[in-house]
Amino acid sequence: MAIRDVLLTLTSYPEPTPVSVIDRAVSLGSTFGAHIAAISCEAHVQVPGSFLGGAGNLGTIVASEAHRSRKNAQDLLAAFEAAAQKSSVLHEIVLERCLTSEVPDLLVEYARLHDLTIVPVPESYDQWYAEAIIFGAGRPTLVVPEAPSSKAVDLNRVLVAWDSSRAAARAVSDAIPILEKAREVRILTVTNEKAISSRRSSPELAKNLSRHGIDVIVEEVDSAGRVIGDVLAAQIESRRADLLVMGAFGHSRFREFILGGATRSILTKPPIPVLFSH
């Protein structure tokens, strides 16, 4: 299925998404020739009523934070609209209003109604919004790092992290419209990191993708005692990859949270855009 309907999430609180990220996201979305909807929320901090009437000016502070969030959201959506118009991209803006605790669930609801959701991920605070969307949307999520980048937006070189798992298979299927546009696709299997059900699956996956007109390079790399996140990061750098495709939360989510894993390692500080599927 082609990617025709993209959602871009823009955070207004506690810190706004950098405006510089919007141009990258619009460029990525326009690569698909898709309609892009940008959503941002006027977030309200939830404070028990008993505290609002207490000493100090807590009520005033809460109102001030909501105003700041609303201003951030409006500015971000205005910047998105300007960028989308400049790129001649079909688009719309969505401004919602909810409690801070309700933002992740709200974004998941919207993500379920779009082919792909682009989520900018900050370095300075928790990636909970991205995790909620990846885990709850049932649709692919394209995580984009907020860190400034001098590299032009490009999807020519795509690296597919392949371990024969259900999550990896789902990610490859979701990424086919992107892989069809790429100039170079590499299927990478990391060995001696965990048990892999079949060593035949990478060549068979290559056959499957060739029937979509996608030529791929099949590779294996030994983990050599390194955690898989470090292995993938090194491969991204050495291959000058523009995009990583990988399954998310291959283990139980609780185990992933306690023990780490490729999903959390890459999500904590994505070096390039990453397409996750769960």
Side-chain angles (χ1 to χ4, degrees):
M1 181 184 73
I3 298 173
R4 294 288 182 245
D5 193 16
V6 174
L7 178 70
L8 169 62
T9 66
L10 299 171
T11 302
S12 69
Y13 189 87
E15 298 295 334
T17 300
V19 174
S20 60
V21 175
I22 291 175
D23 287 333
R24 294 185 69 198
V26 168
S27 179
L28 285 168
S30 65
T31 299
F32 312 125
H35 177 279
I36 309 175
I39 182 171
S40 193
C41 298
E42 174 189 334
H44 289 247
V45 180
Q46 189 172 21
V47 179
S50 58
F51 286 96
L52 293 176
N57 297 311
L58 185 57
T60 301
I61 294 172
V62 169
S64 175
E65 291 297 283
H67 175 77
R68 182 164 71 92
S69 175
R70 180 171 65 253
K71 178 68 164 54
N72 288 339
Q74 291 171 339
D75 288 348
L76 287 167
L77 292 174
F80 163 78
E81 189 156 34
Q85 289 176 347
K86 182 179 179 180
S87 299
S88 300
V89 172
L90 294 175
H91 64 280
E92 66 178 300
I93 59 173
V94 181
L95 177 60
E96 286 281 0
R97 184 175 184 270
C98 62
L99 298 173
T100 52
S101 60
E102 296 172 338
V103 173
D105 288 341
L106 177 68
L107 296 180
V108 167
E109 287 181 15
Y110 275 91
R112 288 174 178 169
L113 303 172
H114 292 78
D115 299 336
L116 175 73
T117 297
I118 300 176
V119 184
V121 173
E123 292 183 294
S124 56
Y125 54 95
D126 189 61
Q127 292 83 22
W128 167 238
Y129 291 179
E131 288 192 25
I133 293 169
I134 292 167
F135 191 67
R139 302 283 191 114
T141 303
L142 184 62
V143 170
V144 178
E146 285 189 358
S149 174
S150 58
K151 186 177 180 181
V153 175
D154 204 349
L155 296 179
N156 280 330
R157 295 186 180 92
V158 179
L159 188 65
V160 177
W162 180 253
D163 62 0
S164 302
S165 67
R166 178 191 180 281
R170 179 72 263 172
V172 170
S173 177
D174 288 336
I176 283 177
I178 299 174
L179 301 181
E180 289 174 334
K181 295 177 179 292
R183 189 176 73 242
E184 179 181 292
V185 177
R186 291 178 181 267
I187 299 173
L188 178 69
T189 298
V190 179
T191 60
N192 297 320
E193 190 272 332
K194 65 178 180 180
I196 296 177
S197 59
S198 172
R199 299 295 289 273
R200 298 186 304 275
S201 66
S202 294
E204 290 300 318
L205 176 61
K207 286 183 184 179
N208 170 252
L209 293 178
S210 71
R211 295 184 178 108
H212 291 270
I214 303 168
D215 293 326
V216 304
I217 300 169
V218 177
E219 294 182 324
E220 290 187 353
V221 60
D222 194 321
S223 67
R226 296 170 293 172
V227 297
I228 191 168
D230 291 343
V231 177
L232 293 176
Q235 289 295 310
I236 287 167
E237 183 176 1
S238 66
R239 302 302 182 189
R240 294 185 298 164
D242 301 306
L243 175 74
L244 173 66
V245 174
M246 63 183 293
F249 302 110
H251 305 297
S252 71
R253 195 161 187 249
F254 178 77
R255 183 184 175 194
E256 194 83 21
F257 178 78
I258 298 298
L259 300 181
T263 304
R264 181 165 293 276
S265 175
I266 294 295
L267 183 58
T268 299
K269 193 174 181 180
I272 57 172
V274 183
L275 188 142
F276 285 106
S277 290
H278 170 69

